[in-house]
Amino acid sequence: MTKVLSSSSAPTLTLLEDYRTASEGSYGGGNALSKKLKVAKVLLFPRSRMQVWLVRLSTSILVWTCLLQLLALGGELWRPYYLLLHGSWPPCLNDRREIESHNHAAVLAASLPFSQHNRSSEKISPALSPRSYVNNGYLLVSCNGGLNQMRAAICDMVAVARLLNLTLIVPELDKTSFWNDPSDFGDIFDTKHFIASLRDELRIIKEVPEKFRSRVKRGSILSLPPVSWSNESYYLHQILPLIKKHKIVRFSKTDARVANSGFSEDFQKLRCRVNYKALQFTPHIEELGSRLIQILQQKGPFLVLHLRYEMDMLAFSGCTHGCTEEEEEELTRMRYAYPWWKEKIIDSKQKRLDGLCPLTPEETLLILRALGYGEETQIYIAAGEIYGSDRRMASLHAAYPNIVRKEMLLSSNELRHFQNHSSQMAALDYLVAIESDAFMPTYDGNMAKLVEGHRRYLGFRKTILLDRKRLVQLIDEYQNGSLEWKEFSLAVQEAHKHRMGKATRRRMIPDRPKEEDYFYANPEECLP
């Protein structure tokens, strides 16, 4: 080594000599030996120690980076499984649990099987398969109809977007229907919650991506209404190729575009998850709805009567029983004014006998009394303006003085924000309806069906499902004197003792989806 080093390296040679001597035990004192060794090591081998520490540091960084990447990529896969196996988060994830608890609760609720015997001993497995991050395109959805018609359509389109691996743009709501409501999605539903609660299923964005905006403004994107009552095969084999080709597609109408039955369990449970978990109303609507419920509950049990005797329903259905000639003419003019109401010539009498008309306020009064509801009953009217107003409601108010509406329970200042926003008004009625002690719709429209299904989901709460065809027959017999009151009352009760919203199988008719029981009235795949 002395030959290699130059003369300027004399201090280094001295250190080497000291280190060798100290190592061989030439020093007598222990402390002196230790000090000599430490000084020599630090001065002679600084680069070697630095290299060791650098290697250790680099290895640690690499290991932690890989671990974080694995957690990020696999987190959505293992978290639901961990919850299902252990029932709670590990302590280290408590903070994240607070953020995502509502989402995983929805996964658990959606995974419950329908049959009672399946729940006894079998392990619960995840109902929804892991999300695929492949994006096949973008889906624009234009809903049509009233609040509850649009609500069902949104649930359907979320499930379709998930099935096809599409990015869903927050749905557009109908502003041109009879109600002429200018509300946007975010005016009725909590958009942030909607997107966040479904993030493990599909990607939802608020606006059209910038690269497509000019095409959307020009109206040059593919726009079509999907075929009504379609199944998974239709969307996979006919719609998906179109979206892959055009990259962005608009569904111009979305009502009844998905069949009731015949879908995979995953698909059906996702429809329920959207309906009962993701579609929450805005905080303002939720708060005011809670206030209404609290006011009603303070006065005791209450029944929600969905009295669907409104102008648009009567004009659309052609049901004019009890109306004056002037009112019949007004309803007929309105029906002809809306070209998308295809049925124009309607036999009102026959339609009523077939049970296809909403009950009148006078008929409803007879049914309430026959079912045993006394004059002290607290009744909340969930409806818009009743056609014929005070004249048609007079007998009902006389028999039941505790009839109330939201306009009677809330101040004009509280409802000021909701004026001329019929969908937001309907949202308040919906919240009250699902929490009532009993719910009775006089017609099986969209709200009646969705509330019925929601009440089933919440534990088969009492819902009086009127057999209108049988009731019209009994009412006519009572009014013409063929039946005494006691006979009439007993007959009404007998006809409805098994029609109170109890557990029942959904009636399914293969290849005839329009004639099946409506999925949202009885979503049996999602019920406990």
Side-chain angles (χ1 to χ4, degrees):
M1 182 177 291
T2 55
K3 293 180 180 178
V4 176
L5 297 172
S6 64
S7 57
S8 63
S9 303
T12 303
L13 288 173
T14 304
L15 284 170
L16 283 170
E17 188 63 27
D18 288 344
Y19 181 79
R20 185 168 55 251
T21 305
S23 301
E24 293 172 354
S26 301
Y27 288 95
N31 290 335
L33 172 63
S34 176
K35 290 179 181 179
K36 286 284 185 178
L37 281 171
K38 288 179 180 179
V39 172
K41 282 183 178 180
V42 169
L43 294 176
L44 285 171
F45 306 112
R47 184 174 299 177
S48 298
R49 292 188 64 184
M50 183 77 68
Q51 289 173 342
V52 171
W53 282 107
L54 284 174
V55 169
R56 289 178 180 175
L57 180 61
S58 300
T59 304
S60 299
I61 292 173
L62 180 62
V63 169
W64 278 105
T65 301
C66 293
L67 181 59
L68 290 173
Q69 289 293 329
L70 287 172
L71 288 173
L73 293 174
E76 293 301 327
L77 299 179
W78 66 262
R79 283 199 300 272
Y81 289 87
Y82 187 97
L83 277 174
L84 290 166
L85 290 173
H86 300 279
S88 62
W89 290 105
C92 62
L93 295 179
N94 279 337
D95 293 338
R96 186 154 190 163
R97 176 191 62 190
E98 295 296 326
I99 298 172
E100 300 186 345
S101 60
H102 64 278
N103 185 30
H104 295 295
V107 175
L108 290 171
S111 68
L112 292 174
F114 178 78
S115 302
Q116 295 286 340
H117 67 272
N118 286 340
R119 292 186 294 157
S120 58
S121 59
E122 295 180 6
K123 290 184 177 180
I124 299 174
S125 58
L128 300 171
S129 56
R131 172 188 173 188
S132 171
Y133 286 81
V134 176
N135 180 24
N136 288 324
Y138 295 84
L139 179 61
L140 269 169
V141 171
S142 295
C143 302
N144 57 298
L147 172 66
N148 293 286
Q149 185 173 325
M150 293 190 292
R151 184 187 183 105
I154 292 167
C155 299
D156 287 346
M157 293 302 105
V158 168
V160 168
R162 172 65 171 85
L163 175 70
L164 305 183
N165 283 324
L166 305 178
T167 295
L168 179 69
I169 299 159
V170 168
E172 303 168 348
L173 302 188
D174 191 349
K175 295 179 175 62
T176 61
S177 65
F178 166 79
W179 301 275
N180 198 29
D181 189 337
S183 300
D184 290 319
F185 184 95
D187 297 322
I188 301 174
F189 299 108
D190 187 333
T191 306
K192 184 177 180 181
H193 174 80
F194 177 69
I195 295 173
S197 64
L198 294 169
R199 65 182 177 272
D200 63 331
E201 285 305 314
L202 76 163
R203 185 180 177 220
I204 303 175
I205 56 178
K206 292 183 179 180
E207 298 178 343
V208 176
E210 187 174 356
K211 61 182 177 181
F212 296 117
R213 286 177 190 169
S214 59
R215 287 174 55 190
V216 172
K217 287 181 180 178
R218 294 195 308 269
S220 60
I221 65 171
L222 178 64
S223 181
L224 76 160
V227 175
S228 297
W229 308 106
S230 296
N231 56 22
E232 287 182 353
S233 177
Y234 165 77
Y235 284 100
L236 287 168
H237 298 123
Q238 296 189 46
I239 294 297
L240 183 56
L242 288 174
I243 295 179
K244 285 185 174 180
K245 177 182 178 181
H246 295 274
K247 302 304 180 186
I248 183 169
V249 168
R250 180 196 297 274
F251 286 165
S252 56
K253 289 185 179 180
T254 53
D255 61 315
R257 303 296 153 166
V258 176
N260 292 307
S261 307
F263 288 89
S264 67
E265 190 175 3
D266 290 2
F267 188 98
Q268 298 289 60
K269 288 185 175 181
L270 180 54
R271 293 166 88 177
C272 294
R273 180 177 172 185
V274 179
N275 196 17
Y276 306 129
K277 300 295 181 180
L279 282 179
Q280 287 188 3
F281 295 119
T282 62
H284 186 195
I285 294 175
E286 292 278 348
E287 289 169 9
L288 206 56
S290 296
R291 174 162 161 70
L292 275 172
I293 294 165
Q294 185 179 17
I295 293 172
L296 289 162
Q297 289 177 339
Q298 285 175 349
K299 298 179 181 179
F302 66 97
L303 175 144
V304 166
L305 178 64
H306 184 43
L307 189 59
R308 194 68 168 94
Y309 202 77
E310 299 149 313
M311 186 177 184
D312 65 301
M313 172 51 62
L314 299 180
F316 174 76
S317 64
C319 297
T320 58
H321 183 69
C323 294
T324 65
E325 289 186 7
E326 292 78 10
E327 288 172 338
E328 288 184 27
E329 291 175 0
E330 182 181 36
L331 294 173
T332 301
R333 287 195 301 270
M334 182 179 180
R335 182 164 64 253
Y336 277 89
Y338 288 87
W340 52 88
W341 292 355
K342 296 181 181 179
E343 192 176 10
K344 304 299 182 183
I345 301 174
I346 299 173
D347 185 341
S348 178
K349 291 182 179 179
Q350 187 58 50
K351 198 163 188 178
R352 175 177 174 269
L353 292 174
D354 291 337
L356 300 176
C357 287
L359 295 183
T360 68
E362 297 86 356
E363 291 171 336
T364 302
L365 165 59
L366 291 175
I367 301 309
L368 285 170
R369 289 178 57 198
L371 290 172
Y373 287 99
E375 64 176 8
E376 75 286 351
T377 304
Q378 184 181 196
I379 299 176
Y380 177 92
I381 301 292
E385 184 178 353
I386 302 302
Y387 191 62
S389 191
D390 294 340
R391 178 179 69 85
R392 301 305 299 272
M393 291 293 291
S395 59
L396 196 56
H397 277 292
Y400 292 98
N402 293 323
I403 287 181
V404 295
R405 304 171 61 98
K406 52 186 169 292
E407 293 84 356
M408 298 169 63
L409 300 177
L410 300 174
S411 68
S412 57
N413 187 53
E414 288 175 304
L415 287 173
R416 179 167 45 86
H417 174 79
F418 297 86
Q419 297 300 324
N420 302 318
H421 293 84
S422 58
S423 291
Q424 296 182 48
M425 285 285 205
L428 292 175
D429 285 342
Y430 185 95
L431 289 170
V432 176
I434 62 173
E435 293 295 335
S436 63
D437 296 278
F439 173 67
M440 191 176 92
T442 60
Y443 186 74
D444 55 353
N446 289 297
M447 177 170 174
K449 291 175 180 176
L450 265 74
V451 169
E452 176 191 347
H454 205 149
R455 290 173 68 85
R456 287 178 183 273
Y457 180 82
L458 293 173
F460 301 102
R461 296 176 177 177
K462 186 176 182 179
T463 302
I464 305 170
L465 305 172
L466 299 178
D467 183 348
R468 292 191 306 280
K469 185 174 183 179
R470 176 63 175 149
L471 287 177
V472 166
Q473 179 188 0
L474 291 172
I475 289 170
D476 288 347
E477 290 177 0
Y478 170 69
Q479 290 181 333
N480 65 26
S482 300
L483 287 177
E484 297 292 334
W485 173 257
K486 187 175 181 180
E487 295 173 311
F488 171 75
S489 180
L490 288 174
V492 170
Q493 293 175 32
E494 180 66 23
H496 293 87
K497 66 181 181 180
H498 299 301
R499 297 174 64 89
M500 296 291 173
K502 295 181 180 179
T504 181
R505 288 290 180 185
R506 189 171 68 247
R507 180 169 56 97
M508 302 181 190
I509 307 175
D511 302 322
R512 293 163 65 185
K514 293 183 182 180
E515 299 177 29
E516 295 180 331
D517 289 339
Y518 191 46
F519 171 80
Y520 290 103
N522 187 10
E524 68 172 46
E525 293 89 340
C526 314
L527 303 180

